[in-house]
């Protein structure tokens, strides 16, 4: 009811408002909001064709919208306002429509009012232009960054294309710049994980600059990424000038040509749109004033409104023409492509009165000449590595060093050479969780790949094998090295024996030799005893001498006696030939046994591990090698995976250092890269590799998905390979092994005899000395006993004679004398 009374009062006022004046026509302009300084400055600069007077439309703290409308009505009628300029205000628009006062607004309006004329095209047109562009390019994925409700409207428009996936990211503002930067960075990382390479930025100048800064730090400002910006007033020019080294498509939707300059917009880039819209408002007024001054004073406002509906003039924001609903049409939205410091208009989108005819049209224009430059040139990038000998190692005094000087290794030298070739700097940091990179159950990645996807690193340089799962997450360069899988084991301890000199002959040979010695000795005795001696002067061979002669001839010694019969000599000749061959073979074999080190490994190949359970085996958890065993269809490898994962899960280790420690403790075999295993065998002679090698894969430098600089890094690696630099680095960090290869006995790998190897000979000698001493003592004792026995016999005889003498003393005196 109150609204009806209000509009009735407005009708009465319009009917009875008849202002007549004989004075010169003076245009009365009402300015909305804070735009008075803008119009005041432009009026002083470019002016109008007729006198004017500015009124600042103000309403002192209205109690309600209705109260505000009443105050605006009073202001317009009291001051006889002919036209209203400035941003759209809903209360002012409604009142102006009822009073038939033209309202040239510089911002958009959601209402369709007959006397409101919008110079700034509606958001729907920009939305339609962006939508048409995505369909024209046949995009299947797009990201939308927005920071206000206008972005929601754009998102709803884009979602009507059911053939395209839309990822939207809301940038929440705030006074904490660090928080905003972290928020934007998280959005960009998730966008990259979704493999979205096309992005539309519908944000303020400040947020746009933050987005581009973070994108550059994540190396996302490179092809094939493309970025599109909503910038109707060319306000992002200062932002783009901060990225002169970026050679990726920056496409801008705007009313004006990119970085345009004229007499009113070359002063302040931040107000370029507002100044241009205000200038176009005054240009429209100038075009309508000739008709307005010809009519009665009270009809000037109506006449201006009617002229505005007919007018079509060029403006600073393009051609200006209004439709029946006061909305602008037949204008163009310009698509400007920016690369570095160059720009070129590549297309236009024209708005017609019939929305069904609105379409995007790309003009046939010459594309920009793209002088490609390495995106990382002159920049300092983060390189993530993992401690793994000899790729990345900390120097002994790393605690006293700073930066990259703390590290050394093949990977450090490699990235240093690549950086020199491509002219960029780098900072090395170690992966926080100490893992190479595997996909977790929730779909996220850990390790170095997780660092890449999180945007913490620009690239990774490490012995990270390229497999299908990792290739889906990140991109890799050409391999700089090929690795295989091998088994690392501890060198078995050699068994030392004091009687090593017995090893050249099998124990059966020793038994047979002893038997032959006994048999020949006995036969020789009988042949000498019953045979015909050729020389009677030769001493005969006793049974004992027979054994001594045969034994002495076996050891190439001499004896006092020798065979004198023909059969004995024939047998002796056969024994000498036997002894010659046996001693020669023993001597040759003894030299090899005592001077050439050999090893008898319990495991000779990988398949031997699968057929035994005594020696445990495993690899690093969540490593590429673990997934090889897990996914393989090869029978013995699948059997080994079952043993590692189900039967004995403790055989799996958390790191390579733990694996090496278990190998050193014994009874453990460690599956790992040949490059690392080879270095370990060079570094420590207690380790050895067991072949054959299997599962060849390449090591490559990892970069974020879609990073264009991957090709530059690949070319650098190929050049290093062609010049022999990679080979030099390999020789530097994998020198020749100084440890003997115990699996290959040869003359080049001999060593001096140790006391342990020949101690048995000394024991035999000592035993012989001891036996000889014992025998000598025994003989001496026997001699003494024999002599003593002989002395006792004489004494007994003397005692007997004395007894007889006593019996025959008296009668046998002569006999006794004779005896004495």
């Amino acid at each position: 009811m109150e609204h009806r009374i209000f509009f009735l009062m407005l009708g009465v006022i319009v009917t009875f408002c008849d202002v007549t004046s004989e004075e010169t026509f003076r245009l009365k302009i009402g300015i909305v909001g804070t735009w008075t300084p803008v119009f005041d400055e432009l009026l002083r600069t470019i002016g109008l064709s007729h006198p004017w007077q500015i009124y600042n439309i103000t309403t002192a703290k209205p109690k309600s919208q209705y109260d505000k409308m009443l105050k605006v009505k009073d202001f317009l009628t009291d001051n006889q306002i002919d036209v209203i300029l400035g941003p759209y205000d809903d209360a002012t628009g409604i009142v102006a429509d009822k009073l038939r006062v033209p309202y040239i607004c510089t911002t958009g309006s959601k209402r369709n009012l007959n006397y409101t004329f919008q110079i700034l095209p509606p958001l729907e047109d920009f939305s339609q232009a962006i939508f048409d562009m995505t369909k024209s390019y046949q995009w299947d994925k797009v990201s939308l960054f927005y920071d206000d409700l206008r972005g929601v409207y754009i998102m709803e428009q884009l979602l009507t294309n059911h053939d395209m996936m839309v990822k939207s990211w809301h940038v929440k503002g705030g006074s904490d710049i660090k928080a905003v930067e972290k928020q934007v960075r998280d959005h960009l990382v998730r966008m990259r994980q979704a493999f979205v390479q096309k992005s539309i930025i519908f944000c303020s100048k400040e947020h746009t600059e933050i987005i581009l800064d973070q994108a550059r730090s994540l190396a996302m400002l490179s092809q094939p990424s493309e970025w599109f910006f909503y910038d109707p007033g060319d306000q992002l020019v200062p932002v783009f000038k901060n990225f002169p080294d970026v050679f990726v498509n920056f496409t801008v939707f705007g009313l004006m040509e990119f970085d345009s300059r004229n007499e009113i917009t070359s002063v302040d880039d931040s107000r370029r749109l507002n100044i241009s819209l205000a200038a176009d408002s005054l240009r429209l007024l100038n075009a309508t004033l000739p008709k307005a001054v010809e009519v009665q004073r009270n009809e000037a406002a109506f006449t201006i409104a009617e002229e505005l509906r007919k007018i079509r003039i060029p403006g600073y924001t393009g051609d200006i023409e209004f439709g029946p609903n006061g909305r602008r049409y037949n204008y163009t939205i310009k698509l400007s492509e920016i690369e570095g410091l160059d720009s070129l208009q590549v297309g236009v989108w024209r708005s017609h009165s019939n929305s069904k005819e609105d379409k995007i049209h790309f003009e046939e224009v010459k594309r920009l000449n793209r002088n490609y430059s390495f995106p990382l040139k002159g920049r300092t990038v983060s390189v993530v590595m993992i401690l793994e000998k000899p790729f990345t190692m900390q120097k002994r005094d790393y605690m006293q060093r700073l930066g990259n000087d703390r590290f050394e290794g093949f990977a450090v030298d490699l990235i240093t050479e690549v950086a020199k070739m491509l002219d960029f700097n780098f900072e090395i940091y170690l992966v926080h969780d100490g893992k190479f990179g595997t996909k977790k159950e929730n779909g996220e990645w850990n390790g170095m790949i997780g660092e890449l996807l999180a945007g913490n690193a620009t690239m990774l340089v490490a012995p990270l094998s390229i497999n299908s799962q990792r290739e889906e997450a990140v991109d890799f360069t050409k391999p700089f090295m090929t690795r295989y899988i091998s088994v690392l084991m501890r060198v078995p301890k050699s068994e030392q024996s004091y009687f090593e000199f017995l090893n050249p002959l099998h124990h059966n040979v020793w038994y047979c030799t002893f038997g032959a010695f006994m048999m020949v000795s006995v036969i020789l005795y009988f042949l000498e005893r019953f045979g015909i001696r050729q020389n009677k002067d030769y001493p005969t061979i006793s049974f004992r001498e027979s054994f001594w002669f045969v034994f002495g001839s076996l050891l190439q010694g001499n004896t006092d006696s020798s065979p004198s019969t023909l059969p004995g000599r024939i047998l002796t000749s056969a024994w000498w030939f036997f002894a010659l061959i046996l001693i020669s073979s023993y001597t040759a074999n003894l030299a090899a046994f005592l001077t050439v080190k050999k090893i008898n490994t319990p495991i000779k190949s990988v398949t031997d591990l699968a057929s035994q359970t005594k020696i445990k085996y495993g690899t690093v958890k969540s490593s590429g090698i673990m997934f090889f065993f897990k996914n393989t269809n090869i029978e013995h490898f699948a059997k080994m995976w079952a043993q590692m994962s189900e039967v004995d899960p403790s055989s799996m280790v958390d790191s390579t250092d733990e694996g090496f420690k278990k190998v050193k403790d014994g009874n453990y075999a460690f599956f790992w890269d040949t490059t690392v295993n080879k270095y370990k065998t060079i570094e420590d002679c207690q380790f050895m590799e067991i072949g054959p090698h299997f599962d060849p894969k390449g090591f490559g430098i990892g970069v974020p998905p879609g990073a264009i600089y991957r090709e530059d890094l690949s070319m650098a690696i190929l050049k290093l390979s062609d010049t022999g630099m990679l080979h030099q680095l390999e020789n530097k960090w994998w020198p020749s092994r100084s440890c003997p290869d115990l699996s290959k006995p040869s003359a080049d790998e001999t060593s001096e005899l140790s006391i342990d190897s020949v101690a048995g000979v000394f024991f035999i000698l000592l035993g012989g000395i001891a036996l000889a001493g014992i025998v000598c003592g025994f003989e001496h004792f026997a001699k003494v006993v024999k002599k003593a026995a002989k002395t006792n016999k004489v004494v007994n005889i003397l005692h007997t004679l004395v007894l007889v003498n006593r019996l025959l003393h008296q009668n046998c005196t002569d006999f006794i004398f004779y005896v004495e």
Side-chain angles (χ1 to χ4, degrees):
M1 185 64 180
E2 291 180 349
H3 284 81
R4 292 182 180 179
I5 297 174
F6 171 73
F7 290 128
L8 180 61
M9 291 175 61
L10 285 179
V12 172
I13 292 172
V14 172
T15 304
F16 290 96
C17 185
D18 184 9
V19 180
T20 60
S21 177
E22 300 294 337
E23 299 178 358
T24 304
F25 180 83
R26 180 181 293 272
L27 182 65
K28 296 183 178 182
I29 304 173
I31 307 299
V32 178
T34 59
W35 280 56
T36 301
V38 177
F39 283 101
D40 190 43
E41 180 182 349
L42 286 174
L43 286 170
R44 289 197 303 268
T45 303
I46 60 178
L48 293 175
S49 59
H50 289 77
W52 72 87
Q53 185 174 355
I54 293 179
Y55 296 87
N56 187 17
I57 302 176
T58 58
T59 54
K61 295 182 179 180
K63 298 178 181 179
S64 62
Q65 184 74 354
Y66 176 73
D67 182 48
K68 183 178 181 180
M69 292 167 61
L70 290 176
K71 291 181 179 180
V72 170
K73 181 265 300 181
D74 293 338
F75 183 89
L76 296 180
T77 54
D78 292 344
N79 296 284
Q80 299 181 356
I81 300 299
D82 298 312
V83 64
I84 303 173
L85 305 178
Y88 178 76
D89 178 75
D90 198 40
T92 304
I94 295 173
V95 174
D97 194 65
K98 290 302 179 179
L99 295 177
R100 297 193 296 179
V101 176
Y103 183 5
I104 304 176
C105 63
T106 55
T107 58
S109 167
K110 295 182 180 180
R111 292 183 182 271
N112 292 323
L113 301 173
N114 292 329
Y115 286 85
T116 299
F117 301 89
Q118 302 179 36
I119 295 182
L120 180 66
L123 182 62
E124 293 87 338
D125 288 354
F126 280 96
S127 175
Q128 186 64 41
I130 293 173
F131 179 81
D132 290 343
M133 184 269 301
T134 60
K135 294 193 69 174
S136 177
Y137 283 130
Q138 297 181 349
W139 288 355
D140 58 349
K141 295 179 181 179
V142 65
S143 281
L144 173 66
F145 290 85
Y146 65 95
D147 56 6
D148 57 25
L149 293 177
R150 295 178 301 168
V152 177
Y153 184 85
I154 298 293
M155 179 180 61
E156 292 174 350
Q157 180 72 24
L158 293 175
L159 288 174
T160 59
N161 183 0
H162 301 295
D163 297 328
M164 180 174 65
M165 182 183 73
V166 180
K167 290 285 186 179
S168 59
W169 316 101
H170 183 204
V171 180
K172 299 178 181 178
S175 57
D176 189 352
I177 301 299
K178 294 294 184 182
V180 177
E181 290 177 348
K182 184 181 184 305
Q183 174 195 172
V184 169
R185 191 179 188 87
D186 293 341
H187 291 338
L188 291 170
V189 169
R190 288 196 291 270
M191 184 187 89
R192 186 166 61 184
Q193 291 174 347
F195 299 98
V196 181
Q197 298 172 338
K198 309 293 189 297
S199 302
I200 298 173
I201 310 300
F202 214 87
C203 296
S204 64
K205 175 183 173 182
E206 293 74 20
H207 287 165
T208 299
E209 188 167 9
I210 291 175
I211 292 172
L212 294 182
D213 278 335
Q214 294 301 316
R216 178 161 60 180
S217 69
L218 293 174
M220 296 176 67
L221 294 187
S222 57
Q223 296 175 354
S225 298
E226 296 184 39
W227 299 82
F228 295 80
F229 303 87
Y230 169 75
D231 185 23
D234 207 16
Q235 294 175 294
L236 298 180
V237 173
V239 175
F240 296 139
K241 288 186 177 180
N242 291 331
F243 301 88
D245 57 332
V246 175
F247 290 86
V248 66
N249 285 343
F250 281 174
T251 304
V252 178
F253 292 86
L255 289 174
M256 299 182 292
E257 294 182 4
F258 177 77
D259 200 12
S260 58
R261 288 290 190 271
N262 52 53
E263 68 274 14
I264 65 166
T265 60
S266 60
V267 180
D268 190 348
D269 293 332
S270 63
R271 298 191 303 153
R272 184 172 298 169
L273 177 61
N274 291 348
I275 294 175
S276 299
L277 293 173
D280 283 346
S281 301
L282 298 180
R283 181 171 287 190
L284 287 171
L285 282 181
N286 259 333
T288 60
L289 283 180
K291 293 290 185 181
V293 299
E294 295 177 357
V295 299
Q296 297 293 328
R297 186 68 182 82
N298 59 350
E299 296 180 0
F302 177 79
T303 303
I304 293 174
E306 293 301 317
E307 291 298 316
L308 287 175
R309 291 187 175 94
K310 303 174 184 177
I311 201 168
R312 180 175 184 179
I313 60 173
Y316 294 107
T317 59
D319 293 340
I320 302 176
E321 185 175 2
F322 297 107
N325 57 359
R327 293 197 173 189
R328 186 173 172 180
Y329 77 104
N330 272 345
Y331 66 93
T332 59
I333 295 177
K334 300 173 178 62
L335 278 74
S336 299
E337 185 177 293
I338 306 158
E339 292 187 4
L341 298 177
D342 298 323
S343 63
L344 184 67
Q345 183 175 313
V346 297
V348 296
W349 183 90
R350 182 171 297 278
S351 173
H352 296 278
S353 58
N354 186 352
S355 60
K356 293 182 180 180
E357 296 178 359
D358 292 352
K359 63 180 179 180
I360 193 166
H361 170 66
F362 288 102
E363 300 176 352
E364 295 294 332
V365 295
K366 185 178 181 180
R367 306 292 292 180
L368 291 171
N369 293 324
R370 301 182 180 180
N371 297 320
Y372 176 76
S373 177
F374 181 55
L376 305 181
K377 185 176 181 180
R379 292 179 51 199
T380 300
V381 301
S382 297
V383 178
V384 61
M385 294 186 177
I386 189 171
L387 289 178
E388 185 76 291
K389 296 180 179 181
F391 290 91
T392 305
M393 301 175 289
Q394 291 176 327
K395 295 181 179 179
R396 293 183 179 179
D397 57 344
Y398 74 95
M399 295 293 291
Q400 302 174 2
R401 298 174 181 264
L402 298 175
N404 298 339
D405 193 41
R406 296 171 297 166
F407 306 101
E408 63 180 352
F410 177 86
V412 179
D413 290 349
L414 174 64
I415 192 60
T416 301
E417 294 296 329
V418 172
K420 289 179 181 178
M421 187 175 296
L422 297 178
D423 189 20
F424 70 92
N425 301 315
F426 62 91
E427 293 180 352
I428 298 174
Y429 77 94
L430 299 177
V431 60
H432 305 298
D433 59 5
K435 297 184 180 298
F436 287 87
T438 54
K439 193 174 184 179
K440 297 186 290 187
E441 294 181 357
N442 60 2
E444 297 181 355
W445 286 80
N446 60 15
M448 291 182 291
I449 293 183
E451 292 292 306
L452 270 186
L453 295 177
N456 299 328
T458 305
M459 64 186 74
L460 68 86
V461 184
L464 183 69
S465 58
I466 304 173
N467 57 35
S468 59
Q469 191 179 41
R470 289 170 177 166
E471 187 69 46
E472 291 178 356
V474 298
D475 291 341
F476 288 93
T477 63
K478 300 291 184 183
F480 58 80
M481 182 179 289
T482 301
R483 75 98 170 108
Y484 296 81
I485 300 176
S486 64
V487 182
L488 189 71
M489 293 186 65
R490 180 186 172 91
V491 176
K493 294 181 180 179
S494 58
E495 297 180 358
Q496 296 290 344
S497 174
Y498 292 146
F499 297 93
E500 190 76 18
F501 66 93
L502 297 176
N503 290 336
L505 298 180
H506 194 270
H507 60 273
N508 291 334
V509 177
W510 286 112
Y511 296 152
C512 292
T513 301
F514 180 76
F517 160 72
M518 297 296 295
M519 181 180 66
V520 170
S521 299
V522 172
I523 293 175
L524 178 63
Y525 169 74
F526 284 105
L527 290 178
E528 287 295 307
R529 183 175 181 82
F530 298 105
I532 301 175
R533 291 187 295 168
Q534 301 296 325
N535 191 344
K536 300 295 184 178
D537 296 332
Y538 281 4
T540 60
I541 297 179
S542 64
F543 188 75
R544 186 183 64 178
E545 289 293 328
S546 174
F547 281 89
W548 183 247
F549 172 79
V550 173
F551 183 73
S553 61
L554 179 65
L555 299 181
Q556 300 180 357
N558 295 323
T559 58
D560 294 337
S561 58
S562 61
S564 58
T565 63
L566 180 62
R569 291 179 176 179
I570 293 174
L571 177 63
T572 300
S573 299
W575 174 251
W576 284 347
F577 180 79
F578 168 80
L580 174 66
I581 301 301
L582 182 66
I583 295 301
S584 298
S585 301
Y586 173 80
T587 303
N589 211 19
L590 179 65
F593 261 84
L594 298 184
T595 60
V596 178
K597 290 185 178 180
K598 297 183 295 181
I599 186 170
N600 184 22
T601 59
I603 302 298
K604 304 239 185 298
S605 66
V606 177
T607 54
D608 291 344
L609 281 174
S611 58
Q612 58 84 46
T613 56
K614 181 180 179 181
I615 298 177
K616 296 182 180 181
Y617 46 85
T619 186
V620 177
K621 298 175 183 177
S622 301
S623 64
I625 297 177
M626 188 202 78
F627 283 101
F628 164 79
F629 282 100
K630 183 177 181 179
N631 300 324
T632 185
N633 294 323
I634 303 175
E635 182 178 357
H636 59 275
F637 288 144
K639 179 180 177 182
M640 297 174 80
W641 169 246
Q643 176 72 22
M644 288 186 287
S645 62
E646 298 176 7
V647 179
D648 189 12
S650 63
S651 63
M652 303 295 288
V653 297
D654 294 323
S655 65
T656 54
D657 289 339
E658 183 182 350
F660 296 147
K661 183 179 182 302
K662 294 188 74 169
V663 171
K664 204 163 188 176
D665 292 340
N667 282 334
Y668 184 78
F670 184 52
F671 287 98
W672 201 240
D673 297 333
T674 52
T675 53
V676 180
N677 286 348
K678 180 181 178 182
Y679 180 82
K680 200 65 181 177
T681 59
I682 295 172
E683 183 184 45
D684 192 341
C685 292
Q686 297 186 60
F687 293 94
M688 66 176 183
E689 264 191 298
I690 302 295
H693 301 163
F694 58 95
D695 188 35
K697 281 186 173 61
F699 290 152
I701 297 178
V703 298
I708 188 175
Y709 54 85
R710 175 187 64 170
E711 298 301 326
D712 299 273
L713 297 175
S714 293
M715 289 301 300
I717 291 174
L718 293 177
K719 289 179 181 179
L720 291 176
S721 177
D722 293 341
T723 58
M725 179 57 68
L726 288 182
H727 183 66
Q728 293 180 22
L729 294 179
E730 289 182 13
N731 290 337
K732 175 183 177 181
W733 294 105
W734 285 273
S736 299
R737 190 168 188 256
S738 59
C739 306
D741 189 354
L742 301 180
S743 63
K744 298 179 180 179
S746 66
D748 296 333
E749 297 172 349
T750 61
S751 61
E752 67 276 5
L753 292 176
S754 64
I755 186 63
D756 292 336
S757 301
V758 295
V761 178
F762 290 93
F763 291 158
I764 295 296
L765 178 60
L766 292 175
I769 294 173
L771 181 62
I774 293 173
V775 172
C776 180
F778 178 77
E779 288 183 349
H780 178 72
F781 177 75
K783 182 179 179 180
V784 170
V785 171
K786 185 176 181 181
K787 184 177 179 179
K790 184 177 180 180
T791 303
N792 290 333
K793 184 177 180 181
V794 172
V795 171
N796 290 334
I797 293 174
L798 291 176
H799 280 295
T800 303
L801 291 177
V802 170
L803 181 61
V804 172
N805 182 34
R806 288 178 179 178
L807 294 174
L808 300 177
H809 179 268
Q810 295 178 353
N811 301 322
C812 300
T813 302
D814 295 337
F815 175 77
I816 296 172
F817 175 79
Y818 174 76
V819 171
E820 292 178 351

